[in-house]
Amino acid sequence: MTRVLLTGFEPFDGESANPSWQAVRAAAAEPPAGVEFFAAELPCVYGAARVALRDAIEEVRPEIVVCVGQAGGRPDITVERLAVNVDDARIPDVSGAQPVDEVIVPGGPAAYFSTLPIKACVAAVRAAGLPASVSNTAGTFVCNHVFYALAHLIATELPGIRGGFVHVPYAPEQVLHRAQPSLPVASVAQALREIAVTAATVRTDIRVAEGATH
């Protein structure tokens, strides 16, 4: 059994729910064969989210970590390629903090690549009949903050773990009064199962074009 830690976030920016945590809970309730799921909810707070992530990793001792966050406005499941070493908040986090142009890890590299087979994960989600793509930016809000913190832990202290970040669209109930794309939480949970199984079974990523022109 491969031990997989899934993390999602608490609601932020005035929302009453966060589909990342809803989907993580749903996925963990019905793990696929061969995978043991553990779920942790992270605060949408700079700094505190890093601490909560590390605590969860120390408690679970996973082989794979998949952090998940909401990306309102995106139409599909996006598997992130890069985490960058900067916090630059367009909106405040839940605590009211709004860092601008601050490094996450002083002296750390400018960026880290995901250690998940990102293109194989995207292919698996599509094969399950769900929309997915590779993303080359996780933004500069708390999602990227957590992604970079995870990647730095893997690079410096926990080389036996593989991990990365997945962004998910709004849930349908969040877009009743605004014209934004959405996906049902159950569909997102299924995508997370596909990603976890792929991460557990694929060591060398597939070589297909999933880049972007801008």
Side-chain angles (χ1 to χ4, degrees):
M1 296 284 283
T2 301
R3 296 168 68 86
V4 178
L5 172 64
L6 299 174
T7 73
F9 282 102
E10 67 175 327
F12 69 98
D13 197 26
E15 298 287 343
S16 60
N18 190 317
S20 69
W21 175 236
Q22 292 175 311
V24 162
R25 283 193 305 174
E30 298 182 45
V35 173
E36 188 177 11
F37 274 160
F38 299 86
E41 184 181 23
L42 305 182
C44 191
V45 177
Y46 287 102
R50 291 174 61 185
V51 174
L53 173 65
R54 186 179 189 119
D55 288 347
I57 290 172
E58 289 179 350
E59 178 181 352
V60 172
R61 303 291 181 182
E63 296 161 75
I64 294 169
V65 180
V66 180
C67 296
V68 187
Q70 172 189 294
R74 292 191 186 181
D76 57 354
I77 307 295
T78 49
V79 183
E80 298 294 345
R81 189 195 303 259
L82 288 168
V84 296
N85 192 11
V86 65
D87 291 332
D88 192 3
R90 180 181 58 81
I91 60 174
D93 68 11
V94 171
S95 76
Q98 194 170 1
V100 174
D101 298 338
E102 295 183 10
V103 296
I104 299 169
V105 177
Y112 284 111
F113 285 106
S114 173
T115 51
L116 301 180
I118 60 171
K119 294 182 177 181
C121 288
V122 166
V125 174
R126 289 174 180 163
L130 298 167
S133 62
V134 171
S135 169
N136 294 306
T137 174
T140 54
F141 195 52
V142 184
C143 289
N144 175 76
H145 181 86
V146 162
F147 185 13
Y148 190 91
L150 170 63
H152 188 70
L153 270 177
I154 291 171
T156 60
E157 299 180 42
L158 302 170
I161 293 177
R162 291 180 294 135
F165 200 96
V166 176
H167 265 122
V168 303
Y170 284 131
E173 58 269 24
Q174 293 177 282
V175 299
L176 294 177
H177 304 292
R178 51 186 162 186
Q180 293 280 2
S182 66
L183 277 177
V185 167
S187 297
V188 177
Q190 180 57 35
L192 296 180
R193 295 185 193 99
E194 299 293 338
I195 288 168
V197 169
T198 303
T201 56
V202 175
R203 288 283 181 167
T204 302
D205 205 0
I206 59 176
R207 188 175 175 85
V208 294
E210 290 285 353
T213 58
H214 59 279

